[in-house]
Amino acid sequence: MAHQAPQKYIFYIAAAPEKVWEGFVSRESNRIIFSGAELQADFKPGGLLAWVGAGPDGKPMTYVRGKVLRFEPPRVFQYTFAMGQNDKPSRATIELVPETEATKVTVTHDEWAEDDPTYAACADGWPRILSRLKTLLETGKTFKPH
């Protein structure tokens, strides 16, 4: 199977880096962005993290799980990423750089296993998640994911 290239997304959000950082790590904003799923995390290198929410049957399920690799507020948040039953984690890195009136947000999702079945879902999901976060931070509300 062909090598799966890193996914890279750059967004500019009209908010201070601290506010954007809070958008990525707070339980409240994660519940809004991820349609009710809650971020549970031990924000230190080696700490576990997971996005947990109601599954199709209404019972709790883990959508994404991983381990914190770097946590440097409000600049870098890096973690391993495994979606659903996938046992081959990839790596997500969120980097924030202050601009004059905005924050430059760069998300790089890499270290994919060649046969990672979640690659396409992430390629679709990251732009949606980042757009929802941008809208939430700039307007105080967001839109439904689909």
Side-chain angles (χ1 to χ4, degrees):
M1 183 177 263
H3 171 72
Q4 301 202 70
Q7 298 175 9
K8 187 170 184 174
Y9 307 96
I10 298 174
F11 273 64
Y12 293 84
I13 300 177
E18 294 78 10
K19 184 175 179 184
V20 177
W21 182 267
E22 191 64 21
F24 276 106
V25 301
S26 81
R27 286 186 176 193
E28 180 183 349
S29 65
N30 274 272
R31 268 195 301 272
I32 294 167
I33 296 166
F34 295 107
S35 304
E38 186 168 295
L39 173 61
Q40 300 172 355
D42 182 7
F43 291 121
K44 65 182 180 195
L48 299 179
L49 58 82
W51 280 267
V52 178
D57 60 0
K59 294 180 181 172
M61 69 175 279
T62 299
Y63 288 97
V64 173
R65 67 194 180 295
K67 187 181 295 185
V68 176
L69 301 172
R70 290 174 64 192
F71 192 77
E72 302 165 15
R75 299 178 324 109
V76 179
F77 182 22
Q78 183 180 67
Y79 52 93
T80 62
F81 180 103
M83 184 185 291
Q85 300 303 312
N86 186 14
D87 60 353
K88 298 173 176 137
S90 51
R91 181 180 68 178
T93 306
I94 299 164
E95 297 173 280
L96 307 182
V97 176
E99 299 264 327
T100 304
E101 293 185 5
T103 298
K104 179 182 181 182
V105 178
T106 304
V107 173
T108 306
H109 199 150
D110 59 7
E111 296 189 357
W112 293 96
E114 284 190 25
D115 58 346
D116 191 324
T118 64
Y119 185 86
C122 290
D124 178 64
W126 275 116
R128 292 175 186 275
I129 290 163
L130 293 169
S131 295
R132 287 171 55 80
L133 178 62
K134 176 177 172 58
T135 303
L136 176 65
L137 294 177
E138 291 178 350
T139 71
K141 58 185 179 184
T142 196
F143 53 91
K144 293 184 180 181
H146 294 268

